[in-house]
Amino acid sequence: MLAAPAARRGRAAPRAVSRVVLRALAHLPGSLRTKLVVGFLAIAALLVLVSLLGLRVLGQANTRVERLDTLQLRAAGYEGLAAAAAALQQSVNVRDSGDSNQSTYTGDRTLKGSGTFWTLADRAVDDVASQVELDYTPYELGFIPPRADERSLKRIRADWYTVSTVMARITQLDKTATGHSGARPLLHTVRAKADDINYRAQKLSFASTQAAKALVEANRRADVSSRNLFVVVSAGSVALALTLGLLIAWSLVGPIRRTESRLAEIAAGDFSGRLDVPNRDELGSLAANVNRMNDELSRLYGELETASRHKSEFLANMSHELRTPLNAILGFSQILQQKLFGELNDKQEEYVEDILSSGNHLLSLINDVLDLSKVEAGQIELDVEPFSLREAVERGVAIVRERASKNGVTVAAEIDPEVQIVEADERRIRQILFNLLSNAVKFTPAGGRVDVTAARAGAEVEVAVTDTGPGIAPDDRERIFEEFQQTDVGAKHREGTGLGLALSKRLVELHGGRIWVESELGSGSRFVFTLPLEGVAD
């Protein structure tokens, strides 16, 4: 056995999963309203989840930005402190290594052993030291240092205090002429403390700068990660929402479509199928009711078929039984009319004429009922043979022409030369023509006209009987082809039983054709019937 293609198997797997999920949804108890509310709440929950995730990502980004601002501010403050500490170290180094002739402190003037100008150098060191004092205070830094930095800042404060105290003693010594030489040991102490201040300030500046760079990189990675997470969760939520929506829709649409299809089959007369809807909700209840209706209609339809068959058999038997005595009545009436047993007076002739007329009408009625019953019972068989449609039409016109002339109605026929010989049941076609012609003559007023035409129309032969009668209302155009149905105008004539057109319709359909009427009130009517092209002989 050959294995199925991979692509087909790949498509079959999701379908199988969707069928399982749909069946699981269908078996869930609860009303449609409850299921829809739950589905909408689930979709809303997914949207809320995406919103909360977005708020969380935004909050994390804001927190990282605040931390970065703090680190950058700390780095800037420590950089200022480091710059002041470097300046202090440099000024102390210069003061420690300098002599009284250095222009740095004398303003390009030469000192001659006086200690007055050494105080200028001491003041320069004090000025730089005061800048260090300002830079390491929280007010000047612009932030509160973290606990880890407080130890270094405390050491810087202590060193600064030592520098300030020692420089005050050095300044006092430098005010005397012989004091400069005594300040040398003290300058070594100041220099050591300035070096320590610079070292710790540079260390704080470097650490804060590196922390800021590390946080920038971490923010970048966190932003990318958060963005990817948000995109994935958002896309997943949208996909889940769409999937859930589609599943809910299909769990409703599928049963509705199956119900609609089954109802169409029932309307077409097919009661053999069953509607399978496993839903435990209103749709499942609807399916159960449809199945019950199907069973009941099947039962009623069977009973109606049986009753119709019995009716048709009864009418056929009764019609046959009625024709026997009626033929005797017509035969004896004709003998009386022909005066084979003696003369009749005027009144007797009138009565005999009424008997013959009523008998013929009753015989026509019985024949129509018998034919219609045979058609309904499926007992009628067509005797299909080639015959001349022209002759059939002309004979039908000849039969009704006498009555038409009495009523002042003109009857004419026009046959297309292409239509000569057709294959059909000649007797039934003549019966159809006679019914249509007799109706047209009956309803056409004096001075009117009835025309019969026959021509090819595509794959069919089309025969039409047109009159100039009162016309037929739109509501009656379908009804007149049903048994025992007449228009208001037909009922006023008190002629016919409404079987002629119904029988004509059945006979035309037995030939595989169609029959219809085109009419407008006050503009006459045009009755048309067709025969398939297969039944036409060239």
Side-chain angles (χ1 to χ4, degrees), residues 272-316:
S272 61
R274 302 290 295 177
L275 181 59
D276 181 21
V277 176
N279 292 46
R280 299 171 62 183
D281 49 32
E282 290 86 348
L283 292 177
S285 177
L286 175 63
N289 290 330
V290 170
N291 287 328
R292 283 194 291 269
M293 179 189 70
N294 176 80
D295 297 339
E296 184 65 17
L297 287 177
S298 178
R299 183 184 66 80
L300 294 176
Y301 190 76
E303 293 179 356
L304 287 176
E305 283 188 333
T306 302
S308 178
R309 185 175 65 256
H310 290 165
K311 179 207 70 173
S312 300
E313 294 174 353
F314 171 78
L315 289 176

Side-chain angles (χ1 to χ4, degrees), residues 84-139:
L88 175 62
Q89 183 186 37
Q90 183 179 7
S91 63
V92 171
N93 289 338
V94 171
R95 173 68 180 81
D96 183 39
S97 61
D99 55 38
S100 59
N101 295 323
Q102 285 186 333
S103 61
T104 305
Y105 306 109
T106 60
D108 295 329
R109 289 177 293 176
T110 302
L111 300 178
K112 297 180 179 181
S114 174
T116 303
F117 292 101
W118 284 112
T119 57
L120 297 176
D122 297 337
R123 289 176 182 176
V125 174
D126 289 337
D127 290 340
V128 176
S130 64
Q131 186 64 40
V132 173
E133 178 190 13
L134 292 175
D135 286 338
Y136 73 70
T137 61
Y139 177 78

Side-chain angles (χ1 to χ4, degrees), residues 36-48:
L36 289 175
V37 169
V38 171
F40 291 149
L41 288 177
I43 294 174
L46 289 174
L47 296 178
V48 171

Side-chain angles (χ1 to χ4, degrees), residues 46-85:
L46 289 174
L47 296 178
V48 171
L49 175 63
V50 173
S51 301
L52 291 177
L53 179 62
L55 292 175
R56 178 173 176 271
V57 170
L58 183 62
Q60 291 176 344
N62 290 334
T63 301
R64 289 193 297 268
V65 170
E66 291 176 358
R67 289 178 57 196
L68 181 61
D69 290 342
T70 301
L71 278 177
Q72 289 176 340
L73 180 61
R74 187 187 307 170
Y78 287 156
E79 285 177 358
L81 175 61

Side-chain angles (χ1 to χ4, degrees), residues 227-240:
R227 182 188 62 196
N228 294 338
L229 177 62
F230 183 76
V231 170
V232 170
V233 173
S234 299
S237 299
V238 171
L240 287 175

Side-chain angles (χ1 to χ4, degrees), residues 387-408:
F387 70 94
S388 173
L389 182 61
R390 176 183 294 275
E391 292 181 1
V393 172
E394 291 176 350
R395 184 172 297 183
V397 170
I399 293 175
V400 300
R401 181 167 283 142
E402 182 179 356
R403 179 180 179 182
S405 61
K406 289 181 180 180
N407 296 338

